[in-house]
Amino acid sequence: MVPHLVTALTGPINELEQRILESTPVIERWFRLEWMEHTPPFYTSVDVRNAGFKLAPVDTNLYPGGWNHLTPEMLPLAVQAAMAAIEKICPEAKNLLLVPESTTDIFYLSNLAQLQRIFFQAGLNVRLGSLSNDIKAPTKIDLPGGESVTLEPLIRSKRRLGLKHFDPCTILLNNDLSAGAPGILEDLHEQYLLPPLHAGWGVRRKSHHFKAYEEVAKRFGKLLGMDHWLINPMFNQCGEVNFAEDAGLECLRSNTDALLAKIRRKYKEYGINEKPFVVIKADNGTGGMGILTVRDAKDIDNLSPATKERMAQVQAGQTVTDVIIQEGVLTNERVNAAVAEPVVYMMDRYVVGGFYRVHAERGVDENLNAPGSRFVPLAFEQSAQLPQPGVKPGASVPNRFYMYGVIGRLAMLAASYELEATDPEAEVYE
């Protein structure tokens, strides 16, 4: 089943699609050369917004959940990509330890079952080691559909991490380390830890990511002879904000005003009759928390106590002090009349699938990663890597998915730049 998409059939997005399709050999060669120089994150998911006049990533996740929303048809791609990724890192690997979030949420645990299935089919023994103090013995949890997962307590020796009678070569985190890296994961010099600890939200910042993405977008725009704004959300950043104490709000107001003015200029240049907006997010934010949509800088003076409280903390109770003010990108996608946005899933350097995040009660300018969202598979009729040249823009689902995959890979490349820049073990040359 291919979702019934309602998208703009005219305007810049189709010119962009046309240019991307015509440039497929150039684009694929460019990516190939980039991956010779840079290591992709182990796995990545990217939220993409299609405004009809602009197509841009708005969030990049380096510890993606939601693998359970990929259809069985997508699994062969994921298995092949997993094989390629493991082969590069540890060709002799036979045991993989998966370290998840500490939650008993059934949907999240179904995501773990899917990851286990992918890596098992890639030829690895996969077991789940929990960071939770509540897991003191192997704990089996039944899932809908007759599946189950078993969480086991981690065992740490001086230099290695494993489980009872299970010594892995590679440890894969599916935990974004919002509260920082626990000591049990540090100083593992004999095992591969993926992603690295500095990819966690204890270190990572959205502003660093989108600065790297802007660099990638500029280079890609130059390659295709196009304005990189069409694929790049502009942003500003504010440090030392405290919503609970009304501190730093002047910085927030002035930076919001400046960014809205820049967006208005771009809208005027392209003849776009929409009201610009920005999305204010915790710079270290995760899980759809700490997000605010603003259309006028004056709105910041009138935030309700409930809004300030919601913005003051993010996942794992982390206090918000830094925020990113990001150009808001409308979504022009609908699935059966409900507002939708595509989420692209990648492993190693390959697009392996994705889905639409759909929310019937949210508007085109709102965050869809919220309670009440549902997921509709991207339902590839053909692989995202098989665009159809010569087909009218907007008329072909594989072409649209190929375009999503290009944007997803640009964000993934930006993440690899970002991780290189924040690697504590990288050599710094003056």
Side-chain angles (χ1 to χ4, degrees):
M1 190 278 288
V2 174
H4 175 60
L5 291 181
V6 183
T7 55
L9 296 177
T10 58
I13 208 70
N14 280 330
E15 292 162 27
L16 177 63
E17 184 176 315
Q18 189 75 47
R19 187 161 297 185
I20 283 176
L21 291 171
E22 288 169 353
S23 307
T24 298
V26 173
I27 291 168
E28 294 307 322
R29 178 179 182 272
W30 184 79
F31 273 124
R32 206 160 50 241
L33 295 175
E34 285 291 326
W35 296 131
M36 288 171 72
E37 298 287 328
H38 305 282
T39 303
F42 187 82
Y43 53 6
T44 316
S45 72
V46 177
D47 297 355
V48 178
R49 302 275 282 208
N50 176 2
F53 54 84
K54 175 171 187 149
L55 184 75
V58 292
D59 205 15
T60 301
N61 189 351
L62 300 184
Y63 300 88
W67 289 90
N68 48 310
H69 301 305
L70 270 57
T71 61
E73 292 79 14
M74 297 174 191
L75 288 192
L77 284 173
V79 170
Q80 280 185 312
M83 284 176 171
I86 291 292
E87 214 168 276
K88 280 197 306 195
I89 296 155
C90 184
E92 70 280 8
K94 55 181 185 176
N95 293 338
L96 177 77
L97 176 62
L98 187 55
V99 179
E101 300 278 352
S102 296
T103 176
T104 53
D105 178 80
I106 291 298
F107 294 108
Y108 177 74
L109 296 176
S110 297
N111 148 74
L112 297 180
Q114 181 86 303
L115 279 172
Q116 276 193 293
R117 186 181 300 112
I118 289 168
F119 289 109
F120 177 79
Q121 291 177 358
L124 293 164
N125 301 312
V126 190
R127 284 164 66 177
L128 303 175
S130 176
L131 289 165
S132 170
N133 293 328
D134 296 334
I135 302 295
K136 295 181 167 44
T139 305
K140 184 181 175 186
I141 302 171
D142 292 323
L143 302 175
E147 281 192 302
S148 66
V149 292
T150 299
L151 298 173
E152 301 181 62
L154 291 166
I155 295 173
R156 176 65 199 255
S157 66
K158 188 174 181 184
R159 301 182 67 84
R160 296 180 76 83
L161 183 67
L163 307 173
K164 191 174 183 182
H165 308 309
F166 187 78
D167 184 31
C169 149
T170 304
I171 298 156
L172 179 62
L173 297 180
N174 196 243
N175 179 319
D176 61 22
L177 306 179
S178 294
I184 198 169
L185 296 177
E186 292 178 340
D187 302 317
L188 293 170
H189 301 301
E190 295 179 357
Q191 292 163 301
Y192 295 94
L193 183 66
L194 303 166
L197 291 180
H198 64 279
W201 283 118
V203 176
R204 194 173 176 232
R205 296 292 176 268
K206 290 179 191 281
S207 54
H208 293 164
H209 174 74
F210 282 100
K211 188 172 190 301
Y213 182 81
E214 184 175 49
E215 182 188 334
V216 168
K218 282 178 177 173
R219 292 181 51 226
F220 188 78
K222 193 174 178 184
L223 181 77
L224 266 61
M226 57 173 245
D227 181 355
H228 73 275
W229 176 76
L230 293 171
I231 58 169
N232 179 38
M234 297 185 289
F235 74 95
N236 281 335
Q237 192 259 354
C238 271
E240 303 307 316
V241 173
N242 187 321
F243 286 97
E245 297 176 10
D246 284 350
L249 297 190
E250 178 54 46
C251 168
L252 198 54
R253 200 181 306 108
S254 60
N255 276 284
T256 296
D257 209 26
L259 185 55
L260 283 167
K262 283 170 77 174
I263 302 168
R264 274 193 288 274
R265 283 196 293 274
K266 274 297 181 184
Y267 279 19
K268 189 175 178 185
E269 180 186 337
Y270 282 93
I272 296 160
N273 295 317
E274 298 285 354
K275 187 171 173 61
F277 67 100
V278 299
V279 179
I280 297 170
K281 308 178 187 181
D283 210 4
N284 61 334
T286 66
M289 298 173 74
I291 295 177
L292 179 66
T293 300
V294 173
R295 293 169 193 78
D296 189 318
K298 294 194 196 82
D299 296 348
I300 291 164
D301 297 325
N302 303 316
L303 295 178
S304 69
T307 300
K308 288 177 183 174
E309 188 180 344
R310 181 168 53 81
M311 291 297 293
Q313 282 191 339
V314 289
Q315 203 156 297
Q318 297 302 295
T319 302
V320 174
T321 55
D322 294 15
V323 297
I324 180 172
I325 306 151
Q326 191 177 57
E327 175 187 354
V329 183
L330 298 165
T331 178
N332 204 47
E333 306 269 26
R334 305 283 184 283
V335 172
N336 300 329
V339 173
E341 66 186 7
V343 185
V344 178
Y345 273 64
M346 291 157 288
M347 195 171 288
D348 194 54
R349 58 197 177 104
Y350 305 103
V351 176
V352 298
F355 51 80
Y356 281 98
R357 184 183 285 120
V358 183
H359 207 304
E361 286 148 35
R362 290 277 166 132
V364 296
D365 58 354
E366 291 185 286
N367 168 43
L368 303 188
N369 186 8
S373 61
R374 61 191 180 86
F375 307 94
V376 177
L378 283 180
F380 294 96
E381 285 183 306
Q382 297 169 35
S383 164
Q385 292 300 102
L386 293 176
Q388 299 171 326
V391 175
K392 182 181 165 193
S396 161
V397 171
N399 284 356
R400 182 65 35 107
F401 291 164
Y402 176 71
M403 193 162 71
Y404 294 159
V406 168
I407 298 298
R409 285 184 288 162
L410 290 173
M412 177 169 61
L413 180 59
S416 72
Y417 285 23
E418 174 197 357
L419 292 180
E420 286 167 16
T422 55
D423 184 352
E425 294 180 15
E427 292 185 46
V428 179
Y429 298 95
E430 293 296 332

